[in-house]
Amino acid sequence: MPDTGSSVPRRQLGRLLRQAREEAGINLEAAADALEWSRAKMYRLEGGQVALRTHDVTLMCQQYGTSPELTEVLVSLARETKSKGWWHAYGEAIPSWFELYVGMEAAAHQIRYHEPSLVPGLLQTPEYMEALFATRPGRSPREVARKVALRLERQKLLSRRSPAAPLFETVVDEAVLRRPLADIETWRHQLAYLVNAAQAPNVRLRVLPLSAPPHLVSVAGAFVLLDFPAFGTRPAEPSTVYCESLTGSLYLDRPNEIADYNEAWQLLWDRALDERASEDLIGTIIKESYDD
């Protein structure tokens, strides 16, 4: 893939193909022999170093006994590896039941999350999630419950033991904490949950105070920086920035893009209150809610 494009689709494709092979109980050499490819080629494909033809992906899926649903996802990802850039619209290139971001989030060893409008998803209470998901017109209670269940499943990665839980760092605007829900008790519970969650050794939460002046990141909106670990002799995957909108998700991994977002993150982190002061502020907001 040209340097001007994102390597995210081919990296995810390689990861999923490796998982499918391992779940089928087929080692790298046996798969290479069956497909009449070299071991080096298999290594490059599974490492996301080169693009794959849809025909080759179909052959690999046949060898591994992959389900029709997952085969469809992998073939779609193979098509996306040909793109110079990548805008992933849910339900189009990839079936709606499959969220690429979830796989990347689970594979990361560090997650840095800036959320200027909401409590970060991985730190939301079920009640907060329900209130949020129910705001979409026409969404049934069953759909809301399913979305809550999926997000709760995602949250388990912060407390998992193997592989080790990722380091999760987040900067939340004070305005988010002061914006109450219709149910005040649900809001208070959410604020208290943030304080408790931040006690975990792998969770660091800072609050950007209302007194902070306008800054470079003010126009950036929400974004997530994902950093990945190295495995054995295999180099770590490139860091990736994830940005979400109402209609799609943007993935960025060019070096200059990562450098810009790393700089933006450091600016946010430095301007935010430290962890202890952030915890104290949240406690103050909870107390004030009882005085109103």
Side-chain angles (χ1 to χ4, degrees):
M1 180 178 289
D3 290 339
T4 55
S6 172
S7 67
V8 170
R10 71 169 187 253
R11 285 159 45 197
Q12 181 70 350
L13 176 59
R15 183 188 299 119
L16 290 173
L17 286 170
R18 183 174 69 251
Q19 290 175 358
R21 174 179 60 75
E22 291 172 348
E23 289 174 3
I26 303 172
N27 63 35
L28 191 72
E29 289 76 8
D33 288 343
L35 294 163
E36 298 183 348
W37 295 342
S38 68
R39 186 179 185 279
K41 179 177 179 177
M42 286 290 297
Y43 184 88
R44 290 194 300 272
L45 293 176
E46 292 189 354
Q49 298 174 29
V50 293
L52 262 171
R53 297 180 302 171
T54 56
H55 174 71
D56 291 336
V57 172
T58 301
L59 288 177
M60 296 173 80
C61 289
Q62 290 173 352
Q63 286 290 329
Y64 304 156
T66 305
S67 69
E69 293 81 9
L70 183 55
T71 297
E72 180 185 355
V73 169
L74 298 178
V75 170
S76 295
L77 279 171
R79 293 193 187 100
E80 293 299 326
T81 63
K82 304 294 191 295
S83 304
K84 289 185 177 180
W86 192 38
W87 182 270
H88 167 59
Y90 291 122
E92 294 181 8
I94 307 297
S96 58
W97 58 268
F98 180 80
E99 292 187 22
L100 173 62
Y101 173 76
V102 174
M104 299 187 68
E105 181 182 67
H109 77 113
Q110 181 176 10
I111 302 170
R112 290 171 286 171
Y113 197 127
H114 173 234
E115 177 52 78
S117 303
L118 299 167
V119 171
L122 292 182
L123 299 181
Q124 292 175 2
T125 64
E127 296 81 8
Y128 186 96
M129 297 177 202
E130 184 176 350
L132 177 63
F133 290 135
T135 59
R136 182 164 183 171
R139 182 171 279 164
S140 69
R142 182 177 179 181
E143 290 175 308
V144 170
R146 181 174 179 273
K147 286 188 171 293
V148 169
L150 288 172
R151 183 158 292 178
L152 288 172
E153 189 67 26
R154 280 177 55 209
Q155 289 186 348
K156 292 179 181 178
L157 74 90
L158 292 183
S159 58
R160 74 186 180 196
R161 294 178 179 269
S162 181
L167 171 62
F168 182 78
E169 297 179 326
T170 184
V171 176
V172 182
D173 276 28
E174 181 181 345
V176 172
L177 307 178
R178 292 190 176 278
R179 185 179 301 126
L181 298 173
D183 186 331
I184 298 298
E185 281 305 314
T186 293
W187 175 51
R188 289 174 182 148
H189 181 211
Q190 174 63 77
L191 295 179
Y193 181 79
L194 281 177
V195 174
N196 292 331
Q199 305 309 307
N202 61 312
V203 176
R204 300 178 66 192
L205 181 149
R206 290 191 174 189
V207 176
L208 188 68
L210 292 174
S211 59
H215 49 81
L216 173 68
V217 197
S218 299
V219 297
F223 65 86
V224 186
L225 267 164
L226 300 162
D227 299 301
F228 303 94
F231 291 99
T233 58
R234 190 189 299 272
E237 292 186 15
S239 297
T240 300
V241 174
Y242 172 81
C243 306
E244 186 175 297
S245 75
L246 285 174
T247 57
S249 310
L250 182 63
Y251 295 82
L252 307 170
D253 62 359
R254 289 182 293 183
N256 64 308
E257 294 167 335
I258 299 302
D260 287 344
Y261 275 90
N262 273 326
E263 181 182 353
W265 174 262
Q266 196 58 54
L267 185 150
L268 279 170
W269 193 253
D270 292 342
R271 292 200 176 191
L273 302 174
D274 64 26
E275 289 89 323
R276 180 59 183 273
S278 296
E279 181 179 329
D280 290 344
L281 175 59
I282 296 173
T284 297
I285 295 172
I286 294 174
K287 290 177 182 177
E288 290 174 352
S289 73
Y290 287 99
D291 297 334
D292 293 340

